[in-house]
Amino acid sequence: MTGQDIDADILIRGGTIVDGSGGEPFVGDVALRGNAIAFVGAHYAGTAAETIDATGCIVTPGFVDIHTHYDGQAVWSDTLSPSSSHGVTTAVLGNCGVGFAPCRKADHDALIQLMEGVEDIPGVVMAEGLPWDWETFPQYLNALAARPRDIDVACLLPHSPLRVWVMGERAIAREAATDKDLAQMRAIAREALDAGAIGFATSRLNIHRTKAGEMIPTYGADVDELMAITGAMAEAGTGVFQAVLDAPFSAWEDEMAQLVAVTRASGRPSTFTLGLMNSGPRTWEGALRMIEEARAEGLTIWPQVLPRPIGMISGWALSTHPFCLCPSYQPFANLPLEQQLPLLRDPAMRATLLAEMPQPGHPLAMLTRNWDWMFPFGDPPQYEPTADQSIGALARAQGRTPEEVAYDILMECDGTGMILNTLGNFHEGKLDALLELVRREDCVIGLGDGGAHYAAICDASYPTFMLTYWVRDRAGERLTLAEAVEMLAARPARVVGLEDRGLLRAGYKADVNVIDMAALTLHAPVVRHDLPGGGRRLDQAASGFVATVVSGQVIRRNDQSTSQRPGKVVRGMQRAPVAPVPA
């Protein structure tokens, strides 16, 4: 057989095709030629260089994660794990307005401290992992493009480094931008868009702090500044605006009014983080009403929702736990776990830590004693625990203090026990309100945060959670398979303007997952020390992914990475294919 005799490079035969449109799944074949889909239908009659037997499996488009922080990992690693382990074939970088470009040499330390505080990436990891062979944003894109990786990346221009580039120390001091500053920011934003940025991102969130606990450069930035920068998107006719608002620390109405104003002025789509309070009034509904009004006006605003509780995972080997701010813990807080354990097993130290009150510290570290919203986190991981499983409830039932219960949970499994701290999205102790949100046609799934919060969260596994829990395992109301795949693929691709992917249709990009739904399992997170400088990170594996294909090349097979690294930098928004590739 010669190359001319082969009609397709890969034939995926006999799977249940869930094409990403939300339509009814059907059994059929998918043929790939080069980096495009050549055929989707009941039966492919041509030949292929490789055939993947998908009998009994589902076949989906590759998933698109529009909220990650792989800005550093995409430089120092050729695998964007854990996202690529969960069927993600395209990841968007630069979210929350933080990143590594543009950046002058003199500002390296400032951006490292920013990312260390906001995104919990250890400074030593960045210091050892980043070669800084760029200064401008176009140079950063070129640096990414020169490095191999398993999946595609697209980049937002981050606000904090842009502000520091233009204003220097004045940005770090959060001074107001002058007219000259605004003109320069707009010009650099246009340069970034022309080079391939898919938009612009900012953060207004109170708890986004530097390592030193200071407010980030963009906190409180004037709306005129946002309008000036997004004006470059209006001028270029491309780009999406991503924002982390300061709700609930500020009123939703005030924050949404500013987002709507910026969206109206730019005429470009926007997306923002929407989280639910665990208790109290459904305050987010006011924000949703404002979105409906804006959409009626012709504006496009997408609330971005994580499909499980927003929170942190606590453990002795992780960034936070209920005793991390106790004075007696500080002397050995940075020791490896095996060196901490003899001290933690000492009855005298245990009694001391149980009695001590935490000192003030990073805002997230100060949220680790909300006992009625904290739960033992084992294997399999449970993301919708019942109220009687909380540490507070267990303590009351056992006649002990919550501190005692938490300490003993953390000491389980040789000190690797973990606690899930649900900070949001768990209204009234259930995920029902979250289900209402993800089912809205104006909401999009996101907030996996892959590449950040390395030792605090591992939400980049949410695609597997969607398919296992929301589709298959939940005792209450569930999503259909067609709904979930549309939410994971076509919709996020459309939100950020990458309309050449997310659907299984002829002519679309050959990004495909083959998944054994019966075997699909989301495992408990584990701590790995595989970052530059031996840095730690949480990793969460899945089993049941038969194959993941990016640009027509198999990057994962039977839950293991292959040697293929076809990932590219996606330059700018992409149009949907005009005509299919001939079959």
Side-chain angles (χ1 to χ4, degrees), residues 94 96-99 101-102 156-165 185 200-204 217-219 221-222 225-226 229 241:
C96 302
V98 291
L156 298 163
L157 172 67
H159 192 183
S160 277
L162 170 63
R163 204 167 201 267
V164 172
W165 175 276
M185 287 188 211
F200 165 71
T202 193
S203 171
R204 307 174 62 80
T218 61
Y219 181 77
D222 194 85
E225 182 173 326
L226 299 177
I229 299 169
F241 174 46

XYZ file of all heavy atoms in Angstrom, residues 94 96-99 101-102 156-165 185 200-204 217-219 221-222 225-226 229 241:
246
model
N -3.099 33.240 29.804
C -3.145 34.687 30.037
C -4.344 35.165 30.827
O -4.557 36.376 30.956
N -7.016 36.074 33.895
C -6.928 36.853 35.145
C -5.937 38.006 35.042
O -5.545 38.593 36.051
C -6.563 35.965 36.334
S -7.708 34.607 36.623
N -5.497 38.317 33.813
C -4.626 39.465 33.632
C -3.213 39.263 34.130
O -2.466 40.239 34.296
N -2.800 38.001 34.376
C -1.439 37.749 34.830
C -0.731 36.853 33.826
O -1.353 36.017 33.170
C -1.401 37.115 36.233
C -1.861 38.119 37.274
C -2.248 35.851 36.303
N 0.575 37.040 33.705
C 1.363 36.280 32.748
C 2.782 36.810 32.731
O 3.205 37.525 33.648
N 4.405 38.294 29.837
C 4.755 39.178 28.724
C 3.635 40.203 28.534
O 2.458 39.882 28.733
C 4.957 38.376 27.436
N 4.038 41.436 28.176
C 5.413 41.902 27.956
C 6.153 42.074 29.286
O 5.529 42.329 30.314
C 5.216 43.245 27.259
C 3.892 43.736 27.780
C 3.041 42.508 27.938
N -4.269 35.182 25.684
C -4.803 36.510 25.966
C -3.655 37.416 26.407
O -2.714 36.961 27.066
C -5.840 36.430 27.089
C -7.083 35.579 26.822
C -7.787 35.252 28.134
C -8.039 36.304 25.880
N -3.730 38.694 26.072
C -2.763 39.665 26.566
C -3.109 39.990 28.014
O -4.204 40.494 28.287
C -2.806 40.935 25.716
C -1.975 42.122 26.231
C -0.481 41.813 26.173
C -2.303 43.391 25.459
N -2.202 39.731 28.971
C -2.543 39.973 30.382
C -2.295 41.419 30.801
O -1.283 42.029 30.449
C -1.614 39.004 31.131
C -0.457 38.778 30.214
C -0.942 38.990 28.810
N -3.206 41.945 31.591
C -3.218 43.353 31.965
C -2.060 43.737 32.887
O -1.422 44.787 32.713
C -4.561 43.678 32.630
C -4.819 45.138 32.810
N -5.950 45.614 33.455
C -4.119 46.253 32.451
C -5.919 46.938 33.468
N -4.826 47.345 32.875
N -1.773 42.901 33.909
C -0.745 43.292 34.884
C 0.618 43.501 34.242
O 1.251 44.546 34.457
C -0.665 42.274 36.025
O -1.650 42.536 37.003
N 1.154 42.556 33.456
C 2.446 42.837 32.828
C 2.399 43.997 31.836
O 3.380 44.737 31.706
C 2.808 41.518 32.134
C 1.643 40.654 32.207
C 0.738 41.179 33.250
N 1.271 44.167 31.164
C 1.133 45.311 30.258
C 1.247 46.617 31.037
O 1.961 47.552 30.624
C -0.222 45.237 29.547
C -0.642 46.466 28.730
C 0.327 46.716 27.582
C -2.068 46.300 28.204
N 0.582 46.683 32.174
C 0.600 47.897 32.991
C 2.011 48.179 33.527
O 2.482 49.319 33.533
C -0.397 47.729 34.138
C -0.924 49.032 34.702
C -2.124 48.816 35.614
N -2.870 50.063 35.721
C -2.680 50.955 36.688
N -1.794 50.722 37.625
N -3.381 52.077 36.709
N 2.684 47.111 33.979
C 4.042 47.285 34.506
C 5.005 47.698 33.395
O 5.888 48.533 33.593
C 4.516 45.985 35.198
C 5.993 46.092 35.582
C 3.673 45.696 36.438
N 4.835 47.144 32.211
C 5.681 47.494 31.067
C 5.582 48.992 30.758
O 6.590 49.658 30.513
C 5.256 46.675 29.855
C 5.961 47.000 28.578
C 5.653 47.989 27.689
C 7.117 46.340 28.029
N 6.517 47.981 26.620
C 7.431 46.982 26.803
C 7.900 45.267 28.436
C 8.495 46.586 26.000
C 8.960 44.876 27.638
C 9.258 45.515 26.436
N -0.625 51.745 26.124
C -1.246 50.438 26.378
C -2.089 49.995 25.189
O -2.061 48.826 24.793
C -2.106 50.496 27.649
C -1.345 50.557 28.941
S -2.469 50.394 30.357
C -1.609 51.375 31.573
N -7.825 40.106 25.525
C -7.202 40.832 26.630
C -7.865 40.394 27.927
O -9.076 40.164 27.972
C -7.376 42.341 26.402
C -7.105 43.196 27.606
C -5.813 43.351 28.078
C -8.142 43.846 28.262
C -5.556 44.144 29.197
C -7.906 44.642 29.366
C -6.605 44.788 29.839
N -7.069 40.271 29.020
C -7.595 39.773 30.293
C -7.164 40.663 31.443
O -6.047 41.203 31.452
C -7.118 38.344 30.529
N -8.044 40.792 32.438
C -7.741 41.586 33.621
C -8.329 40.938 34.859
O -9.170 40.033 34.770
C -8.287 43.018 33.480
O -7.723 43.846 34.507
C -9.815 43.050 33.609
N -7.887 41.426 36.023
C -8.478 41.005 37.301
C -8.737 42.224 38.160
O -7.907 43.136 38.240
C -7.555 40.046 38.053
O -8.050 39.812 39.370
N -9.895 42.210 38.822
C -10.273 43.252 39.764
C -10.512 42.659 41.150
O -11.077 43.316 42.022
C -11.536 43.953 39.262
C -11.440 44.473 37.844
C -12.754 45.042 37.328
N -13.209 46.171 38.108
C -12.735 47.400 37.974
N -11.784 47.644 37.077
N -13.186 48.380 38.712
N -1.317 44.967 40.378
C -1.303 46.258 39.669
C -2.629 46.657 39.046
O -2.888 47.862 38.869
C -0.229 46.050 38.593
C 0.688 45.033 39.164
C -0.196 44.102 39.955
N -3.469 45.685 38.695
C -4.714 46.023 38.002
C -5.891 46.247 38.944
O -6.954 46.669 38.491
C -5.090 44.905 37.017
O -5.296 43.681 37.735
C -3.998 44.704 35.990
N -5.712 45.965 40.235
C -6.836 46.131 41.160
C -7.228 47.612 41.218
O -6.407 48.478 41.494
C -6.484 45.630 42.557
C -7.626 45.768 43.531
C -8.691 44.880 43.507
C -7.656 46.806 44.454
C -9.758 45.017 44.386
C -8.717 46.953 45.336
C -9.769 46.057 45.297
O -10.830 46.189 46.164
N -8.078 49.456 38.731
C -7.790 50.217 37.511
C -9.075 50.837 36.980
O -10.133 50.203 36.961
C -7.156 49.315 36.460
N -8.977 52.069 36.535
C -10.148 52.808 36.098
C -10.772 52.174 34.847
O -10.071 51.599 34.008
C -9.759 54.255 35.798
C -10.975 55.158 35.671
O -11.454 55.640 36.703
O -11.431 55.355 34.528
N -9.324 53.030 31.580
C -8.143 52.272 31.180
C -8.557 51.000 30.434
O -7.986 50.652 29.397
C -7.302 51.923 32.412
C -6.023 51.164 32.088
C -5.148 50.994 33.313
O -5.132 51.906 34.187
O -4.451 49.957 33.410
N -9.559 50.315 30.957
C -10.043 49.105 30.287
C -10.628 49.441 28.920
O -10.436 48.702 27.949
C -11.081 48.402 31.157
C -10.597 47.931 32.534
C -11.753 47.308 33.313
C -9.461 46.934 32.397
N -7.759 50.045 26.401
C -7.080 48.820 25.940
C -7.999 48.006 25.042
O -7.585 47.551 23.960
C -6.607 47.990 27.150
C -5.611 48.795 27.987
C -5.969 46.684 26.674
C -5.292 48.175 29.326
N -12.717 39.877 25.672
C -12.288 40.487 26.927
C -12.627 39.541 28.063
O -13.788 39.164 28.242
C -12.990 41.834 27.106
C -12.745 42.503 28.425
C -11.468 42.601 28.958
C -13.797 43.058 29.138
C -11.246 43.228 30.181
C -13.591 43.700 30.356
C -12.307 43.779 30.872
